[in-house]
């Protein structure tokens, strides 16, 4: 994670960094354009309360760490996390094989009665059909996301966020507002 002294802290914003153990986004093996078109899923955060902070954790396999952005709202009540999950090179190859088989079936259905008009219809729809199939193959696994989470009342939304990505999990830590002297039991 990256820490900033209070004077240089980018107010209420964070960009996740890879953890020191080398965990980090897949960066994908290409095909990112198909995934950048839609927002197919929502992250589900678990909130863990610690003595001096809150830790929000979400499983986000294939996160593109460079595209991640986290920000606390102006009223400091909501955390919004947005980013992109891309397939790995191996997943792209598997989807390309599935896409080839899918397009072959589509071509067969268009060409059962050979005619230049049917072949032109297929040619006109090929890119659309390929894009729709790729999005379907990656639905709920790849694409853009933006999720907002209501923060606990004692979370210090004005403090610097700490965020890191490790082992397929996104971790965001927000400190608690320090208790006023004499209010602790």
């Amino acid at each position: 994670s990256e820490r900033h002294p209070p004077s240089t802290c980018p107010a209420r914003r964070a960009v996740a960094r890879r953890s020191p153990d080398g965990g980090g986004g897949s960066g994908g093996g290409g095909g990112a354009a198909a995934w950048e078109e839609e927002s197919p899923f929502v992250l589900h955060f678990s909130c863990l309360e610690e003595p001096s902070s809150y830790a929000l954790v979400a499983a986000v396999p294939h996160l593109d760490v460079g595209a991640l952005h986290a920000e606390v709202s102006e009223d400091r009540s909501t955390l919004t996390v947005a980013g992109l999950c891309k397939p790995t090179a191996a997943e792209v190859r598997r989807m390309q094989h599935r896409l080839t088989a899918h397009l072959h079936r589509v071509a067969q259905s268009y060409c059962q009665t050979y005619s230049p008009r049917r072949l032109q219809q297929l040619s006109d729809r090929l890119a659309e059909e390929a894009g729709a199939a790729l999005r379907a193959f990656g639905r709920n696994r790849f694409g853009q996301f933006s999720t907002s989470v209501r923060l606990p009342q004692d979370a210090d939304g004005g403090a610097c966020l700490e965020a890191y990505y490790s082992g397929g999990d996104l971790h965001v830590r927000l400190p608690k507002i320090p208790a006023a002297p004499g209010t602790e039991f």
Side-chain angles (χ1 to χ4, degrees):
S1 68
E2 184 174 290
R3 291 179 185 247
H4 298 275
S7 61
T8 63
C9 178
R12 299 183 312 275
R13 293 189 181 144
V15 175
R17 302 288 179 234
R18 291 187 174 131
S19 67
D21 67 1
S26 67
W35 316 119
E36 294 172 2
E37 295 176 12
E38 292 189 0
S39 300
F41 60 95
V42 175
L43 296 183
H44 298 283
F45 279 96
S46 297
C47 184
L48 308 169
E49 184 173 3
E50 297 173 347
S52 62
S53 65
Y54 287 98
L56 300 156
V57 181
V60 193
H62 316 293
L63 179 66
D64 178 354
V65 176
L68 185 71
H69 180 76
E71 185 171 7
V72 175
S73 63
E74 286 296 319
D75 67 0
R76 300 178 180 181
S77 66
T78 306
L79 170 68
T80 300
V81 178
L84 174 67
C85 293
K86 295 192 290 189
T88 64
E91 288 166 324
V92 168
R93 284 190 300 278
R94 281 192 296 274
M95 287 188 287
Q96 286 171 337
H97 289 294
R98 286 182 67 191
L99 178 60
T100 300
H102 173 75
L103 292 177
H104 182 74
R105 286 188 302 273
V106 169
Q108 284 179 330
S109 73
Y110 269 82
C111 297
Q112 286 180 356
T113 58
Y114 174 79
S115 76
R117 183 179 66 77
R118 294 288 285 170
L119 290 177
Q120 185 59 49
Q121 286 175 336
L122 174 61
S123 176
D124 292 345
R125 291 206 45 208
L126 198 57
E128 178 185 326
E129 187 72 34
L134 280 175
R135 284 188 297 278
F137 297 159
R139 188 165 287 121
N140 296 321
R141 294 178 47 214
F142 310 118
Q144 292 183 0
F145 61 85
S146 180
T147 300
S148 294
V149 178
R150 197 79 149 137
L151 297 175
Q153 283 188 320
D154 62 340
D156 189 352
C160 235
L161 298 175
E162 291 181 38
Y164 68 94
Y165 182 70
S166 176
D169 291 332
L170 173 61
H171 301 260
V172 180
R173 184 172 309 279
L174 255 155
K176 288 182 177 180
I177 297 170
T183 60
E184 295 178 8
F185 293 99

